Amino acid sequence: MSDSTLFSVADAFPDIMEALKQQPREIQTGIDALDKELVTISGKYVAVAGETSTGKTDFCVSLAANRIRTGNPVLFASIEVGEHTMLRRFASHFANVYAPGTDATFQSENGIKNLTSDQQAALNGGVEMLEQCKQFLYLYDGSEKYGGKEMRIVEHVAVKAKEISRKHCVPCLVICDYFQLLATRESTGTATEKFDALSHKLAQLAHETGSPVIVPCATNKDGSIRGSGQVNYDNDITLHLSIDQAECSEDDLPALSIRPMIVHVKKNRDGRARARVKLDYRPASHRFTDRGGEL
C-alpha cells in the first residue's frame, strides 16, 4: 500500500509548464526606480526605517495607492492614526495623481471649504479615482469598530489578511503602521524579547501567505531599528528613508513643497543591496514618486 503522504514533483505537478503559468504575478511597489532594485516584494517582510518626519507612513500610503490602482487588495492597519485621517491622506494622494502640479491637502470639512478652485478640481478628480478602486482598500484602525486593541496583535492582522486574500484570490499587501506599536499574543519577557517575537511573527506572515508585509519602524540616532535588532535578521528587505542632503539642507525643508529623498536599500534578499534610489516626496499630498517624474 502506497504512502499517500509522499508527493514527488511528478505527483504534485503533472504538467510543470502549466504550473509555472499559474504562479501569481510578482508584487511590486509601483515606483519604477525602486522596483528595478527590489525586483519583487512578494512574500517579503519589509522594514521601512527612518527618522521622525521622513515620510515613512506616506511612503506606505504611496505603495498602497499604487497597489489598489491596479485592482489588487491592501490591508492598511493604522494603529496610531484613525481611519478618517488615513482616508484624507489617500484622497490628497489621489488628488495629486489626478493633477500632479496641485497639492489638495486638508484635515477636516473646513479644510475642504478652504480649498482653491484648482485644489477643489484636483480633489474631485482624485476622489473619483479613489472611488473606482476603494473596494480593494481595507483601512483598519485601533477603534472598537475593527476590534480595538486586537488590531495591535499580529495574529489578528494575519487572520484579516488571509480573509482578504481569499476574497480577492490574490495575496494582499499588508501594511502595519508601525512596528513599535504592535504585539503578539504569545510574547513574554523583556521589551526586547517581545519585539524579537513580534519580528518572527511578521516574517512568518509574509513567508507563509505570499503577502508582502511592510512595517514602518522608528530608528535610533545611529540608524538602527528601535526596540529590536532581530528585525535586521528576520526581514527580507530594509529600506531607510532620508533627506537627500546633496540637494537640500534641513533648514530648506519648510519652504519645499517637493522634498528630494533617498531610499537606501540596506538589505535585499533577491535584488541588489546597498542601492540608493532618488525619489521626490510631496508631504502635502502624502505621495512619493520617481525623482522628477510622475507615476
Side-chain angles (χ1 to χ4, degrees):
M1 184 176 179
S2 62
D3 188 344
S4 60
T5 63
L6 296 177
F7 293 95
S8 70
V9 171
D11 299 317
F13 305 104
D15 188 327
I16 291 178
M17 183 58 73
E18 186 61 30
L20 293 175
K21 292 178 181 178
Q22 294 176 0
Q23 293 302 302
R25 292 180 298 172
E26 300 291 3
I27 300 174
Q28 297 184 311
T29 69
I31 301 175
D32 291 342
L34 188 56
D35 287 330
K36 289 177 182 177
E37 304 296 340
L38 299 183
V39 181
T40 180
I41 56 174
S42 298
K44 302 293 177 63
Y45 169 25
V46 183
V48 178
E51 296 180 4
T52 302
S53 300
T54 50
K56 297 184 293 293
T57 298
D58 286 346
F59 180 79
C60 292
V61 167
S62 291
L63 303 193
N66 294 343
R67 187 71 179 149
I68 65 173
R69 284 173 65 191
T70 60
N72 291 286
V74 172
L75 168 58
F76 202 120
S78 179
I79 310 303
E80 187 176 39
V81 179
E83 62 174 348
H84 286 91
T85 298
M86 290 306 303
L87 185 63
R88 288 194 290 269
R89 290 188 180 189
F90 275 93
S92 291
H93 175 100
F94 276 100
N96 186 252
V97 174
Y98 180 82
T102 303
D103 290 318
T105 184
F106 60 95
Q107 296 301 321
S108 64
E109 182 181 352
N110 289 332
I112 294 178
K113 292 177 180 178
N114 293 331
L115 294 178
T116 66
S117 58
D118 287 344
Q119 290 173 326
Q120 186 65 61
L123 180 60
N124 291 344
V127 168
E128 184 176 343
M129 293 180 69
L130 182 55
E131 288 280 1
Q132 293 173 359
C133 55
K134 65 182 180 182
Q135 69 270 30
F136 302 108
L137 179 60
Y138 295 79
L139 283 179
Y140 283 43
D141 61 16
S143 65
E144 291 301 321
K145 175 181 177 180
Y146 297 112
K149 293 182 179 180
E150 284 291 294
M151 284 311 298
R152 296 177 183 266
I153 306 300
V154 171
E155 291 88 343
H156 184 72
V157 174
V159 169
K160 293 298 181 184
K162 292 174 182 177
E163 290 177 357
I164 293 168
S165 296
R166 285 194 296 269
K167 177 179 177 179
H168 294 274
C169 300
V170 63
C172 75
L173 170 62
V174 180
I175 297 172
C176 298
D177 189 19
Y178 63 98
F179 179 79
Q180 282 78 10
L181 291 178
L182 296 170
T184 71
R185 296 192 191 283
E186 304 168 359
S187 61
T188 57
T190 66
T192 298
E193 290 171 336
K194 291 178 180 179
F195 280 134
D196 289 349
L198 168 61
S199 183
H200 288 313
K201 287 289 185 180
L202 291 168
Q204 183 180 10
L205 171 59
H207 299 160
E208 288 185 355
T209 64
S211 291
V213 177
I214 301 178
V215 187
C217 304
T219 58
N220 299 308
K221 290 183 179 180
D222 62 0
S224 61
I225 293 174
R226 191 179 303 166
S228 174
Q230 191 64 39
V231 174
N232 293 322
Y233 293 97
D234 291 335
N235 73 346
D236 303 290
I237 297 172
T238 302
L239 304 177
H240 192 278
L241 304 184
S242 65
I243 300 295
D244 187 350
Q245 296 184 352
E247 297 290 334
C248 71
S249 68
E250 294 287 339
D251 294 336
D252 296 328
L253 294 181
L256 295 177
S257 61
I258 303 177
R259 296 180 181 179
M261 303 291 294
I262 295 286
V263 178
H264 303 259
V265 184
K266 291 195 170 183
K267 181 180 179 181
N268 188 10
R269 290 196 191 277
D270 293 331
R272 185 165 71 94
R274 304 300 175 185
R276 289 162 51 90
V277 180
K278 295 183 178 183
L279 301 179
D280 284 337
Y281 171 37
R282 302 184 74 108
S285 293
H286 312 285
R287 188 177 183 218
F288 279 77
T289 63
D290 289 309
R291 176 72 60 84
E294 297 297 335
L295 295 181

